[in-house]
Amino acid sequence: MSDNAKQNENGGIPIYLDPDQPLEKRVDDLVSRLTLEEKVSQMIYASSAIPRLGIPEYNWWNECLHGVARAGIATVFPQAIGMAASFNDKLLYRVACAISDEARAKHHEFVRQGDRGIYKGLTFWSPNINIFRDPRWGRGQETYGEDPYLTGRMGVAFVKGIQGDHPKYLKAIATPKHYAVHSGPEPLRHSFDARVSQKDLRETYLPAFKECVKEGKAASIMGAYNRTNGEPCCASPTLLQKILRDEWGFDGYVVSDCGAIYDIHAHHKVTNTPEESAALAVNAGCDLNCGRVFESLVNAVKQGLVSEETIDRAVKRLFKARFKLGMFDPPERVPYAQIPYEVNDCEEHRRLALEMARESMVLLKNEGGLLPLRKDLKAIAVIGPNADNKKVLLGNYNGTPSKYVTALEGIRAKVSPQTKVYYAEGCDLTSTQSSYWGQEATAGFAEALAAAQRADVVIMCLGLSPELEGEEGDAARSTAGGDKTSLDLPGMQEELLKAVCATGKPVVLVLFSGSPVSINWAQENVPAILQAWYPGEEGGTAIADVLFGDYNPGGRLPVTFVKSLDQVPPFTDYSMKGRTYRYMEDEPLYPFGYGLSYTTFEYSNLKLSAEVIEAGQSITISVDVKNTGNMAGDEVVQLYLKDLEASVDVPIHELKGFSRIKLQPGETTTVTFTLTPRQMALIDNDGRCILEPGRFRVMVGGRQPDKRSEALAKTPILVGEFEVRGEPMELEY
């Protein structure tokens, strides 16, 4: 049948262009009109136009990790690790909705201007839901931390906010990445084989992906660079077919990481030619190539390495996504196409960026109630290489704000007109040696000390920067291809901190980083410490709001801060033994789930709906929380579970519920959690999900139930136990 013959009976427009036809029918009709060469041209990230069918070019590569990235001005929210510290998935959902509003606004304006280039489309390669299992990993900042449950809740919220809730159209497409078992070392990622047990795979590395696919309904997944247990992730029948599609029912498309198909023959040495790599990937279920290797699919078909039917399957998955984005329908039919360009970088979104930045702040120490500071102090010194540094607001995979608020600017805007604010950089981020012409690395110390001596209080802005940690090839000043070789404060920063503390002035340390920094000396010697992450365009405002008491911090650490790398197993060891709060036996510097407040909270009345349940039943847990201080504030109520009679090694305890609540002084609320049978189940050594009868301990409080958290937070944990009776049951993973 000729192309022209395949028309609708009613009026002669092609079936694929008729928005009233069923989706599958439209996709089938369009793909049936394509030559093999045209099909293959659609499987490369920069997809070609097919003018004879009215198909415009489309570039699939876009990024929106914490705001629409790499496409000019956009609202820049805090880096992902900071948003995870909010422990507020409802707020993250609102952030993702704002990001997808801006995404739509920008995309349609760019198309109106005739620009369909890279970073201008509606298919976003975010979120990064890998597990931040090792503090050295430069890309840990892109994740939601080290815990599978928190990562899953945040990931689902983000995916839903990006993709929208319309019954027919997707607002944009979210792409959870990097599937799977991917978290450094960065320099080895193109050739590395992550060897992992079935237990660790399903207990730690896969849960967030499963949640984003089954609950979040992610329309796309990105495969990782590495191999997992010998199979290249972007050509893994185990990951892409057996688990993702057969087990979880994923019906979207899979995209390779950028250059990952080339790696299969060039670095993994699993195949010998580009044709073999492309065929291996497509046969396994990878549909789209960020790279150019899929161009060899035409030859691969001729060589009998892959069938045209398999190519059709991939191309149909890709066009289904474009149809669901409304790209082949009249714009007036697509509600999201009506979002005006003016939504981008609007005041409402800036306020939301400030709200998220405030919620991301984690108060690590506040000895003697040094914070909050008075706004009418006579003089304040703001010192450090990150005090007026725009880059530390942004993290990586970022957009460009129309206005940046650094810590220095935020503090200046907050204090009284009579307060003198001294500023000194003190030192740069990394230098430890004299310059070629003899300028010492400590050359700025004298100015910093002069400022400190004239101030009533000193605010030290130290830490890392996206120049020091990030992706391979991106963090220009990293000592390990994006990763870290040390967790200490770099350069002369700790020496500067010690020199300033020696003046005897009260010191507040504001720490900027996307990962743990081992500030052991500061924890012993500095009275107040605030972890600020990479806090986005309004970061400086949020920091000042916290320091001067206009906002009461309530964030919690989404990742363990270890004391040193001596506490961490080798970077290339993907076993979870000794890693993260779930399996680490050593005492950390700051634990996962830890963070202080300016007020106090009291927990009481822990109730379990039953003391004994039958295997397969859920249990409800409730607790009363009261603000017993004199300042309004947020509390992150955390529920941890421990299986007391497991037949295999299980985590020390595990987060199974959290709720961020706001309470006025004297106000009480009841927080309720439901524990499902699936949450009580363990993963056995064969990777099966088994609910075993026996006793379970429930621990509820504003922190993790470990000794270090107790010593730092000085708050109690409420504990209850229940018993599951019956026979062991295998549950659906």
Side-chain angles (χ1 to χ4, degrees):
M1 193 188 284
S2 76
D3 276 352
N4 293 338
K6 284 189 287 190
Q7 309 293 353
N8 252 329
E9 293 76 35
N10 57 357
I13 66 166
I15 291 169
Y16 74 91
L17 287 178
D18 181 352
D20 296 316
Q21 292 289 331
L23 175 65
E24 306 297 333
K25 200 170 170 185
R26 294 177 74 189
V27 171
D28 289 349
D29 176 55
L30 177 53
V31 175
S32 72
R33 299 165 186 261
L34 302 178
T35 65
L36 175 61
E37 286 75 10
E38 286 170 334
K39 289 170 188 171
V40 167
S41 77
Q42 300 305 295
M43 295 171 68
I44 287 144
Y45 77 101
S47 299
S48 309
I50 304 175
R52 68 184 181 85
L53 296 175
I55 299 173
E57 65 176 307
Y58 182 66
N59 196 304
W60 293 80
W61 189 345
N62 210 341
E63 305 284 356
C64 70
L65 183 67
H66 54 116
V68 180
R70 303 177 178 179
I73 300 299
T75 305
V76 179
F77 295 91
Q79 178 59 297
I81 191 79
M83 296 200 287
S86 74
F87 274 66
N88 191 341
D89 49 339
K90 294 180 185 70
L91 179 58
L92 182 61
Y93 172 76
R94 286 173 51 212
V95 165
C97 290
I99 292 171
S100 52
D101 277 353
E102 297 197 0
R104 272 284 176 176
K106 289 168 85 72
H107 166 75
H108 292 296
E109 183 61 28
F110 291 141
V111 167
R112 285 190 287 271
Q113 304 287 353
D115 185 352
R116 296 177 184 271
I118 193 168
Y119 308 133
K120 305 290 169 67
L122 289 171
T123 43
F124 290 90
W125 296 348
S126 311
N128 183 339
I129 56 168
N130 291 132
I131 296 299
F132 195 179
R133 71 184 171 95
D134 191 295
R136 286 166 283 209
W137 190 33
R139 299 188 73 179
Q141 59 174 302
E142 300 172 30
T143 74
Y144 300 126
E146 71 184 31
D147 181 67
Y149 179 75
L150 178 63
T151 300
R153 298 330 302 149
M154 296 310 235
V156 167
F158 189 87
V159 168
K160 285 181 170 178
I162 294 298
Q163 296 192 164
D165 54 9
H166 193 276
K168 179 174 180 180
Y169 293 109
L170 286 165
K171 190 177 182 188
I173 283 177
T175 307
K177 66 186 184 186
H178 309 83
Y179 183 68
V181 199
H182 180 83
S183 50
E186 281 297 294
L188 303 183
R189 62 187 186 162
H190 298 284
S191 57
F192 184 69
D193 185 12
R195 311 296 302 192
V196 65
S197 70
Q198 289 306 303
K199 180 171 167 49
D200 281 338
L201 181 68
R202 289 186 177 261
E203 189 180 78
T204 298
Y205 295 110
L206 292 185
F209 285 99
K210 179 199 69 172
E211 301 293 326
C212 285
V213 167
K214 293 184 77 165
E215 186 184 342
K217 303 280 187 282
S220 164
I221 288 285
M222 176 180 277
Y225 283 119
N226 52 284
R227 281 169 286 156
T228 293
N229 294 337
E231 295 180 5
C233 292
C234 291
S236 166
T238 306
L239 290 175
L240 302 185
Q241 190 61 47
K242 187 167 157 260
I243 296 175
L244 183 62
R245 297 186 191 279
D246 298 346
E247 195 182 313
W248 299 344
F250 176 70
D251 65 352
Y253 65 91
V254 172
V255 59
S256 80
D257 206 339
C258 300
I261 308 300
Y262 172 79
D263 289 342
I264 296 173
H265 54 271
H267 300 121
H268 292 302
K269 312 282 192 202
V270 169
T271 54
N272 294 312
T273 65
E275 287 79 7
E276 288 176 4
S277 297
L280 193 72
V282 176
N283 284 328
C286 181
D287 309 300
L288 181 67
N289 180 195
C290 181
R292 298 275 175 205
V293 178
F294 275 14
E295 288 170 355
S296 18
L297 282 168
V298 176
N299 280 340
V301 172
K302 288 175 185 159
Q303 292 171 20
L305 297 170
V306 62
S307 69
E308 189 161 357
E309 290 74 35
T310 305
I311 300 283
D312 287 353
R313 181 185 73 180
V315 177
K316 284 177 183 178
R317 287 170 180 162
L318 295 171
F319 273 115
K320 182 178 144 193
R322 288 181 68 178
F323 276 103
K324 287 179 82 169
L325 288 164
M327 290 180 175
F328 293 90
D329 291 2
E332 58 273 14
R333 285 237 184 170
V334 186
Y336 298 127
Q338 315 310 315
I339 295 173
Y341 185 59
E342 286 64 28
V343 162
N344 186 56
D345 185 42
C346 63
E347 265 312 302
E348 187 189 343
H349 289 177
R350 180 168 285 273
R351 284 195 297 274
L352 185 60
L354 173 58
E355 186 180 349
M356 183 49 106
R358 287 167 145 190
E359 294 213 3
S360 75
M361 297 288 152
V362 184
L363 184 62
L364 296 175
K365 189 178 177 188
N366 191 22
E367 200 174 274
L370 176 57
L371 296 176
L373 301 170
R374 293 195 349 251
K375 292 177 193 168
D376 61 352
L377 293 167
K378 210 158 69 191
I380 291 173
V382 183
I383 296 171
N386 283 340
D388 201 30
N389 181 341
K390 289 180 178 177
K391 284 181 178 159
V392 299
L393 300 178
L394 303 181
N396 68 355
Y397 282 88
N398 57 284
T400 305
S402 57
K403 183 179 124 200
Y404 298 76
V405 185
T406 64
L408 177 63
E409 290 176 69
I411 291 162
R412 278 186 177 145
K414 185 64 66 182
V415 295
S416 73
Q418 289 74 41
T419 303
K420 169 81 175 157
V421 178
Y422 293 96
Y423 165 58
E425 192 179 15
C427 64
D428 69 15
L429 275 168
T430 55
S431 297
T432 54
Q433 306 292 320
S434 300
S435 73
Y436 177 78
W437 297 109
Q439 186 179 33
E440 300 279 354
T442 55
F445 279 31
E447 183 187 31
L449 292 171
Q453 286 156 359
R454 285 161 175 77
D456 299 310
V457 67
V458 183
I459 299 165
M460 299 289 293
C461 298
L462 306 177
L464 307 177
S465 141
E467 295 176 284
L468 302 180
E469 56 176 350
E471 190 169 7
E472 177 200 34
D474 194 32
R477 293 162 72 184
S478 158
T479 50
D483 296 328
K484 299 187 298 182
T485 49
S486 163
L487 303 184
D488 297 337
L489 278 171
M492 301 304 287
Q493 292 185 65
E494 187 151 307
E495 287 77 0
L496 177 67
L497 180 61
K498 288 174 177 173
V500 169
C501 286
T503 64
K505 295 298 172 88
V507 173
V508 180
L509 170 58
V510 179
L511 192 65
F512 294 82
S513 71
S515 63
V517 185
S518 51
I519 49 167
N520 300 296
W521 188 89
Q523 170 58 24
E524 291 300 314
N525 296 281
V526 177
I529 305 173
L530 182 70
Q531 173 68 34
W533 313 104
Y534 299 136
E537 64 184 29
E538 281 291 322
T541 311
I543 289 164
D545 283 344
V546 169
L547 295 180
F548 293 93
D550 286 343
Y551 182 78
N552 185 352
R556 297 294 196 271
L557 295 180
V559 62
T560 301
F561 278 42
V562 295
K563 290 175 179 169
S564 81
L565 285 175
D566 296 340
Q567 294 186 310
V568 183
F571 200 173
T572 50
D573 179 4
Y574 268 77
S575 162
M576 288 306 295
K577 187 175 166 56
R579 287 195 186 279
T580 77
Y581 81 92
R582 292 159 62 239
Y583 284 108
M584 181 174 158
E585 302 285 350
D586 276 10
E587 183 180 87
L589 176 61
Y590 301 117
F592 173 90
Y594 168 68
L596 302 173
S597 169
Y598 294 152
T599 191
T600 50
F601 298 94
E602 182 179 274
Y603 286 70
S604 62
N605 213 9
L606 179 68
K607 287 183 182 163
L608 279 62
S609 58
E611 286 182 18
V612 178
I613 59 170
E614 293 302 313
Q617 291 180 332
S618 292
I619 190 167
T620 306
I621 293 139
S622 66
V623 68
D624 294 344
V625 186
K626 180 180 184 180
N627 182 344
T628 51
N630 49 18
M631 190 171 180
D634 291 10
E635 175 71 339
V636 177
V637 184
Q638 301 168 50
L639 181 150
Y640 292 83
L641 185 67
K642 181 171 179 63
D643 184 337
L644 297 174
E645 298 177 4
S647 64
V648 293
D649 284 342
V650 290
I652 297 162
H653 44 244
E654 257 189 311
L655 184 71
K656 296 288 184 181
F658 61 88
S659 177
R660 184 164 179 146
I661 55 173
K662 296 183 192 307
L663 291 177
Q664 295 300 314
E667 188 185 355
T668 302
T669 191
T670 303
V671 178
T672 305
F673 299 101
T674 300
L675 275 178
T676 63
R678 177 65 187 81
Q679 288 181 290
M680 301 170 204
L682 53 76
I683 302 296
D684 73 8
N685 293 330
D686 299 320
R688 294 178 309 162
C689 180
I690 309 288
L691 175 58
E692 294 185 345
R695 296 198 65 73
F696 291 82
R697 180 175 295 147
V698 172
M699 295 153 282
V700 181
R703 59 172 176 85
Q704 197 197 136
D706 66 301
K707 285 193 169 62
R708 181 65 176 158
S709 296
E710 185 177 12
L712 289 167
K714 301 179 176 63
T715 55
I717 291 283
L718 300 187
V719 179
E721 289 191 7
F722 65 93
E723 185 182 353
V724 175
R725 285 193 184 153
E727 294 300 310
M729 298 168 68
E730 181 163 3
L731 302 182
E732 182 187 334
Y733 178 76

